[in-house]
Amino acid sequence: MKLSAQTHNTIYFIALMMIAAGLPFWLLLISFAEILLITNWVVEGNLKEKWKSFISQPAAIGLTSIYLLHLVGLIWTNEDFSYALKDLRIKLPLLILPLVISTSPKLTKKQLFQVLGVFITAVFLASIVSVMSYYGVVGDAPHDSREMSIFISHIRFSLLVSLAIFALFYIVFFYECNNALKTLMLVVLVWLIIFLFFLKAMSGIVAFLITLIVMLGYFAVRINNRTIRSLVVSALVIIPFFLGLYLVQLAIDFFQEKEEIRYNQLPKKTVDGEKYYHLYGNQQTENGYYVNYHIAPKEMHAAWEERSKLNLEGTDKKEQPLFETLKRFLTSKGLKKDRKGIEQLSEAEIEAIERGVANVKYLTSNSLEVRIHKILWEFDNYSKGMNPQGNSVTQRIEFWRAGLEIYKANPVIGVGTGDVPPAFNKVYNKINSPLDTKYRLRGHNQYLTFALTFGTVGLIWFLTAFLLPFFTRENARRYFYLTFFSIAAASMINEDTLETQTGVTFFAFFAALFLFGYQCDKQNQLTTVR
């Protein structure tokens, strides 16, 4: 029995909402929705007309050509076809979503906002569950806020939260609805902003801040009201200025030296008589105090056993060496690493050390300050020759170093779709990377990943496909696509956004939805829809 056009449209609309709902929650739902989407598209028929429509849209061809690039890369794949096939399966949304959405009936204004409403609701609910998880209401409480995203990677989730924030902003301030609903959405908007910083995924936070500045510039150009434009331009100047001032102040505080080491004046023994251990020349610090001086290991073990049930030779609850956590925490308070130092710790501080808190400031600083402090700590230690493994930011330098070596050895067409993992394995050994095997990951920079996989040719191909909509689609120069583009482009600087199912679906779905999924209202020059 042949279905009516209205039925096919309804199935298409439902599938879009399923993808929107599944992004922060359930990959299986996304896969099912994509199968439903392409099946409905094929069964509906009119494939010849759809193909003509598709090839008349350069932006749609550009997006799907990213998938084609991966197919072409099979030609010079020599070592790992199993990885290549897995990669092609993960990236199927790049083929399916632009093809189907660009050749399907345009959504109405109401339908577009229903899809966005489902997405925002799903992100909001996932954030609530994440917070409940963090505080132990759901499952075992994690010991790091970046682990509280229990459905998908906290980095991918932060990108979804960022996009939901900007979509909500538009709905609250530009979309006509009743005051009660606007108030509710405003509350959700504020909650998601707070949650984004509580999540402490710097990729999402940086993408959010970059997009905020980009959109302030967008509004500064588009707004006709002089007073509002002046306010927006002022914000465009003030926000980066005070953000920079804030970061400089944190850096000054971090690098302030509070202890001067004079080797000929270092104490030889503790009050109780144990010989102090000093690691001469080691410059690691916590809050301006030197970590590897004034250490009395026997006293530390004996005093710790009196205060805690955790073995000091084992790990804390973050799976970090507990001795190192204790040593750093004592140092951060300006205490010596001996019995007297441990005796001065409160019960709350002992519990914090057991949880993996390595600096006393982390107990009182807000989550963003803690994250920035940890990043500064990573760079400080890396600059002093310490191994960056396990440090989420500085170990990326090793990823990039390895990735650049691969690219330089294969600058024209790269190593091919399937040979990225073996190429990294070889290069890590070649450059004598200090990272252990489990930390030797891929490039964590999408632009670099395209360059080393497909060479300069592939990188230009990808950038052309990514930027082409701005020259061929009016929707690309409107609010929704600009926010999405800014978030996606920023995330690719320090993440392989397109190398996971969630990431590639996020990219393909919203790129296709905002470019082809609805009809732009040409009468409204400020925003995408009225």
Side-chain angles (χ1 to χ4, degrees):
M1 184 179 76
K2 187 175 182 179
L3 301 177
S4 67
Q6 181 60 44
T7 302
H8 282 294
N9 289 347
T10 301
I11 294 172
Y12 167 70
F13 179 57
I14 291 172
L16 293 182
M17 290 198 293
M18 289 170 63
I19 295 174
L23 275 168
F25 274 116
W26 198 15
L27 295 179
L28 186 60
L29 180 61
I30 293 174
S31 298
F32 178 77
E34 289 171 348
I35 293 172
L36 178 62
L37 203 63
I38 191 65
T39 302
N40 179 68
W41 185 81
V42 172
V43 172
E44 186 182 25
N46 300 319
L47 298 183
K48 186 176 181 180
E49 290 76 12
K50 289 176 179 177
W51 177 251
K52 288 181 179 179
S53 174
F54 173 70
I55 62 174
S56 68
Q57 302 178 75
I61 295 174
L63 287 177
T64 54
S65 76
I66 299 174
Y67 188 82
L68 176 62
L69 176 62
H70 288 77
L71 286 174
V72 173
L74 291 175
I75 297 172
W76 58 94
T77 292
N78 298 313
E79 297 187 48
D80 197 342
F81 272 93
S82 62
Y83 177 83
L85 294 176
K86 177 185 176 182
D87 196 40
L88 288 172
R89 176 180 58 79
I90 288 174
K91 291 187 170 66
L92 272 173
L94 286 170
L95 176 64
I96 295 172
L97 295 176
L99 174 64
V100 173
I101 294 176
S102 67
T103 56
S104 294
K106 306 302 180 188
L107 299 179
T108 65
K109 178 176 67 174
K110 181 179 180 181
Q111 287 176 320
L112 173 65
F113 282 97
Q114 285 175 334
V115 173
L116 290 177
V118 168
F119 170 68
I120 292 165
T121 301
V123 170
F124 171 69
L125 292 176
S127 72
I128 296 295
V129 174
S130 296
V131 171
M132 292 172 67
S133 168
Y134 181 72
Y135 288 105
V137 179
V138 177
D140 297 327
H143 302 290
D144 190 321
S145 61
R146 292 174 294 167
E147 299 174 2
M148 67 180 175
S149 178
I150 60 178
F151 302 107
I152 60 175
S153 156
H154 73 289
I155 294 175
R156 306 289 181 266
F157 189 33
S158 69
L159 302 181
L160 300 182
V161 173
S162 296
L163 185 59
I165 289 170
F166 284 101
L168 261 176
F169 173 83
Y170 177 88
I171 295 171
V172 169
F173 292 101
F174 297 105
Y175 186 58
E176 294 181 5
C177 56
N178 64 67
N179 291 333
L181 183 57
K182 276 187 180 289
T183 301
L184 176 61
M185 289 189 293
L186 185 60
V187 171
V188 174
L189 173 61
V190 173
W191 161 262
L192 289 179
I193 293 173
I194 295 171
F195 174 79
L196 177 64
F197 287 89
F198 183 58
L199 188 60
K200 291 194 291 191
M202 289 307 295
S203 296
I205 292 173
V206 170
F208 169 78
L209 293 173
I210 289 175
T211 304
L212 177 62
I213 293 171
V214 168
M215 297 316 295
L216 283 173
Y218 168 81
F219 281 118
V221 172
R222 297 266 180 162
I223 290 174
N224 294 322
N225 185 294
R226 289 186 178 181
T227 302
I228 298 177
R229 182 189 295 171
S230 298
L231 291 174
V232 170
V233 171
S234 298
L236 190 58
V237 174
I238 291 172
I239 290 176
F241 174 77
F242 280 101
L243 180 62
L245 196 63
Y246 174 69
L247 293 175
V248 168
Q249 183 57 49
L250 290 177
I252 290 173
D253 180 65
F254 179 89
F255 289 106
Q256 183 180 7
E257 186 174 312
K258 297 177 182 177
E259 179 181 27
E260 183 180 356
I261 296 297
R262 296 183 179 180
Y263 297 107
N264 60 344
Q265 296 180 14
L266 288 172
K268 303 296 184 182
K269 294 183 179 181
T270 69
V271 174
D272 294 338
E274 183 181 348
K275 183 178 178 180
Y276 273 127
Y277 169 73
H278 305 292
L279 186 57
Y280 296 104
N282 189 291
Q283 301 300 304
Q284 183 182 355
T285 61
E286 290 286 341
N287 298 347
Y289 300 101
Y290 288 86
V291 175
N292 290 297
Y293 293 81
H294 310 109
I295 304 170
K298 293 180 181 179
E299 286 191 14
M300 288 179 68
H301 279 79
W304 179 257
E305 287 180 2
E306 296 172 6
R307 304 290 305 273
S308 172
K309 294 181 180 180
L310 292 185
N311 185 353
L312 195 56
E313 291 300 314
T315 60
D316 56 38
K317 293 178 180 178
K318 285 185 181 178
E319 301 300 321
Q320 303 166 145
L322 181 56
F323 185 84
E324 292 299 317
T325 304
L326 174 60
K327 191 171 65 173
R328 287 179 56 196
F329 193 95
L330 288 167
T331 304
S332 73
K333 295 193 67 174
L335 299 173
K336 291 181 172 60
K337 279 68 73 174
D338 56 17
R339 173 178 289 278
K340 296 296 183 184
I342 293 176
E343 287 176 348
Q344 293 181 61
L345 298 176
S346 67
E347 288 302 318
E349 289 171 336
I350 292 292
E351 292 176 4
I353 294 167
E354 291 176 337
R355 294 197 309 271
V357 177
N359 191 299
V360 67
K361 283 189 174 182
Y362 299 168
L363 299 179
T364 55
S365 301
N366 63 59
S367 60
L368 180 60
E369 288 179 349
V370 170
R371 187 72 189 109
I372 293 172
H373 189 281
K374 289 181 178 180
I375 291 172
L376 290 171
W377 180 86
E378 288 184 30
F379 277 106
D380 184 48
N381 287 332
Y382 187 72
S383 69
K384 293 172 181 175
M386 296 185 64
N387 192 333
Q389 70 180 25
N391 298 326
S392 62
V393 177
T394 51
Q395 70 180 5
R396 278 174 166 77
I397 298 174
E398 290 296 307
F399 303 158
W400 298 339
R401 190 160 70 99
L404 284 171
E405 286 293 323
I406 298 172
Y407 170 68
K408 286 190 291 185
N410 307 272
V412 180
I413 59 172
V415 298
T417 303
D419 289 351
V420 174
F424 267 101
N425 291 336
K426 292 175 185 176
V427 167
Y428 276 125
N429 292 328
K430 177 183 175 182
I431 64 176
N432 296 317
S433 174
L435 301 179
D436 290 342
T437 302
K438 69 176 182 178
Y439 292 105
R440 294 183 173 187
L441 305 179
R442 293 181 47 150
H444 279 67
N445 179 303
Q446 192 64 65
Y447 308 107
L448 176 60
T449 295
F450 270 96
L452 66 90
T453 307
F454 307 112
T456 304
V457 172
L459 178 61
I460 293 173
W461 184 328
F462 169 67
L463 292 176
T464 300
F466 198 21
L467 297 172
L468 185 61
F470 288 106
F471 303 97
T472 62
R473 298 290 297 187
E474 187 173 1
N475 275 14
R477 300 183 289 275
R478 302 289 175 160
Y479 179 87
F480 285 121
Y481 186 78
L482 281 173
T483 55
F484 156 76
F485 176 86
S486 180
I487 292 169
S491 74
M492 292 180 189
I493 296 172
N494 68 334
E495 287 297 329
D496 287 323
T497 305
L498 304 185
E499 306 307 312
T500 65
Q501 185 179 352
T502 302
V504 75
T505 303
F506 160 75
F507 176 84
F509 177 68
F510 284 110
L513 180 67
F514 293 148
L515 286 174
F516 319 111
Y518 69 100
Q519 185 63 47
C520 176
D521 185 348
K522 297 182 180 180
Q523 293 179 350
N524 192 321
Q525 295 301 310
L526 174 61
T527 51
T528 326
V529 293
R530 298 179 70 179

